[in-house]
Amino acid sequence: MNRRKLFQLLGMLGAWTALPAQAQAVNAEVLGALPRDLANDCENRMPGQSTTLPRIGVISVGGAGCNMVTRCLDMLSNLSGTLEINAHAARYPKGFKNAPWANDTILIGEGCEKLSSRQVARAMALEHVAAIEAAVKRFDLVFIVAGLGGATGTGIAPLVAEIAKRAGVFTLCFVSTPPEFEGENRAKTALRGLSELRKHTNSVFVVNLDRLLERADKNMMLDEFFALADQMLLTLYHPINVAIFGCGVVDCDYRDLKHVLTQPGDAAMGSATAEGENRLMQATIAAINHPLLGRDALARSRGVLVSIRSHAGDLTFVETKKILNIVRTIAPIEADMVYIAHSEDALGESLEVSILATGVRNIDSTNET
Ligand SMILES: Nc1nc2c(ncn2[C@@H]2O[C@H](COP(=O)(O)OP(=O)(O)OP(=O)(O)O)[C@@H](O)[C@H]2O)c(=O)[nH]1
Ligand SMILES: [Mg+2]
């Protein structure tokens, strides 16, 4: 799927919500557009091999994790490396014995037809602890990506997180929970995996597929729907990448970012794009009301990262201020909030607002029911 189509899909998600009166009461103060030359291109300025910057790794675990990374890889810039962990018996495209994009692959369960449960998967992965540790130690920050509900991802992702965290690697998880139609067993397995993951990860971002499904276009094809879910990995990855590689118009530094991403509790995120006269209000409110975020989760957060993207030179101070003020009207006053503004020419006239909320208290009652 190309970027434009992705933005259209995200826009479709964003169009669900009406604007609350509260958000309309934000002050206006025209300070003019930021000069175009401040809007740098991240990849031109900082190619990612710098030894002084944190090395980012993406680790897929299991079949769904592999799909997620495959779909997003082109847009994961400044990556230092990729690792795939999968079952020996995993199905790959004809002619492949692993994911073609992976720098490193660790296959678990040699001789097994299938890893029969998450416990078996974990037990078999324990035989590979040294290899996993050596692989994760090449990074300073890892994104562990998996679809929860099966054996491989659910059993092994928490072990990888544990190994990474023990090795001092900053660890973020991006996982999906299965839709109801996949049955109760998968849901239970996913929840057990999730509670294990929470013990060993700095932040776990959950894509609740039911929530996404409730509001998605009913004519969407299954692969489009999964792609939509998996694109949320970019919503998470992008602001972190921009913050680390210092290429935004306004940056927060890695320390600020880590502070926000280590708030105790759960994590949630939403993103939306809008264009036209009212674009900032529409995009911000739709991002807040995104099915994977919601006002309740934002209102219970301890840390907030707001990422704003627009065409180069197409974001005014007043727009930035309004967006942050809207988020502030909902987030707790004591929540730590950082923001990043970044140019993306593919957005054309549109403005994209993404919000990561961390340290969310009692997310179970907002995001995982
Ligand atoms: N986001 C996303 N979720 C997926 C995708 N494919 C499957 N899933 C979800 O991820 C869950 C686990 O997927 P699997 O790939 O079967 O699991 P696994 O981790 O490989 O585990 P086993 O195959 O059982 O060993 C499924 O129950 C689905 O809910 C995908 O492409 N994207
Ligand atoms: Mg599998």
Side-chain angles (χ1 to χ4, degrees):
M1 186 187 305
N2 62 32
R3 274 179 199 220
R4 199 158 287 280
K5 187 143 181 226
L6 160 64
F7 291 132
Q8 277 167 1
L9 288 170
L10 291 172
M12 272 154 48
L13 277 171
W16 298 326
T17 47
L19 306 178
Q22 187 188 18
Q24 315 246 10
V26 182
N27 294 336
E29 182 188 342
V30 181
L31 294 172
L34 290 164
R36 192 185 172 95
D37 59 3
L38 280 181
N40 294 316
D41 177 343
C42 193
E43 276 134 278
N44 289 342
R45 195 172 133 193
M46 197 62 78
Q49 268 76 38
S50 166
T51 49
T52 57
L53 289 165
R55 297 156 302 170
I56 305 180
V58 167
I59 303 175
S60 76
V61 193
C66 181
N67 292 349
M68 294 175 186
V69 177
T70 303
R71 288 193 182 104
C72 298
L73 194 72
D74 281 355
M75 287 188 263
L76 300 175
S77 47
N78 295 316
L79 262 188
S80 286
T82 50
L83 167 67
E84 184 210 7
I85 301 179
N86 214 335
H88 229 278
R91 271 176 298 159
Y92 290 102
K94 216 168 167 211
F96 288 100
K97 293 201 170 92
N98 63 355
W101 47 260
N103 298 126
D104 232 335
T105 299
I106 297 175
L107 295 178
I108 311 284
E110 190 159 13
C112 289
E113 287 255 312
K114 184 171 166 36
L115 302 178
S116 54
S117 67
R118 72 186 174 90
Q119 293 92 333
V120 168
R122 182 186 165 92
M124 296 218 154
L126 285 172
E127 294 168 19
H128 300 263
V129 166
I132 296 171
E133 190 176 349
V136 298
K137 273 184 166 168
R138 287 187 213 128
F139 309 115
D140 303 298
L141 185 163
V142 290
F143 290 82
I144 298 174
V145 180
L148 299 181
T152 310
T154 318
I156 300 174
L159 177 67
V160 178
E162 198 178 333
I163 294 168
K165 219 171 166 204
R166 205 172 48 218
V169 179
F170 195 78
T171 307
L172 300 174
C173 275
F174 176 88
V175 293
S176 62
T177 51
E180 202 188 344
F181 65 75
E182 289 191 8
E184 213 170 301
N185 285 347
R186 282 208 165 231
K188 278 189 186 148
T189 301
L191 282 182
R192 292 200 177 107
L194 196 51
S195 77
E196 283 302 307
L197 272 179
R198 284 174 175 147
K199 292 182 200 159
H200 306 294
T201 313
N202 292 103
S203 278
V204 185
F205 289 84
V206 180
V207 175
N208 180 313
L209 292 176
D210 274 331
R211 287 209 165 201
L212 218 48
L213 201 53
E214 259 171 39
R215 312 239 204 132
D217 178 345
K218 300 293 175 260
N219 296 319
M220 205 178 259
M221 299 290 120
L222 186 65
D223 64 334
E224 271 187 324
F225 172 68
F226 273 134
L228 185 64
D230 299 349
Q231 302 297 352
M232 293 306 293
L233 176 58
L234 299 174
T235 300
L236 173 63
Y237 185 89
H238 196 80
I240 292 172
N241 178 45
V242 171
I244 291 175
F245 288 88
C247 48
V249 175
V250 183
D251 300 316
C252 67
D253 67 20
Y254 189 39
R255 241 184 4 189
D256 296 336
L257 184 74
K258 274 172 119 175
H259 179 69
V260 166
L261 292 173
T262 42
Q263 293 301 311
D266 291 297
M269 63 186 152
S271 183
T273 54
E275 59 182 24
E277 227 174 278
N278 217 9
R279 64 181 194 162
L280 81 93
M281 206 70 104
Q282 280 175 350
T284 311
I285 299 302
I288 292 169
N289 288 320
H290 189 281
L292 300 181
L293 180 58
R295 296 170 70 93
D296 283 352
L298 183 58
R300 291 194 232 167
S301 61
R302 293 185 177 90
V304 183
L305 169 64
V306 180
S307 160
I308 308 162
R309 294 206 296 172
S310 66
H311 194 279
D314 190 28
L315 178 72
T316 65
F317 275 119
V318 75
E319 285 184 305
T320 308
K321 183 178 165 183
K322 280 183 180 175
I323 291 165
L324 296 176
N325 281 350
I326 296 169
V327 177
R328 279 205 184 281
T329 58
I330 299 167
I333 202 144
E334 67 279 8
D336 286 312
M337 194 157 123
V338 292
Y339 75 102
I340 296 162
H342 183 231
S343 66
E344 170 55 75
D345 287 350
L347 280 166
E349 308 271 287
S350 301
L351 181 77
E352 181 200 76
V353 176
S354 303
I355 302 168
L356 308 185
T358 58
V360 181
R361 300 165 182 91
N362 301 324
I363 202 166
D364 290 335
S365 59
T366 63
N367 204 24
E368 285 163 28
T369 47

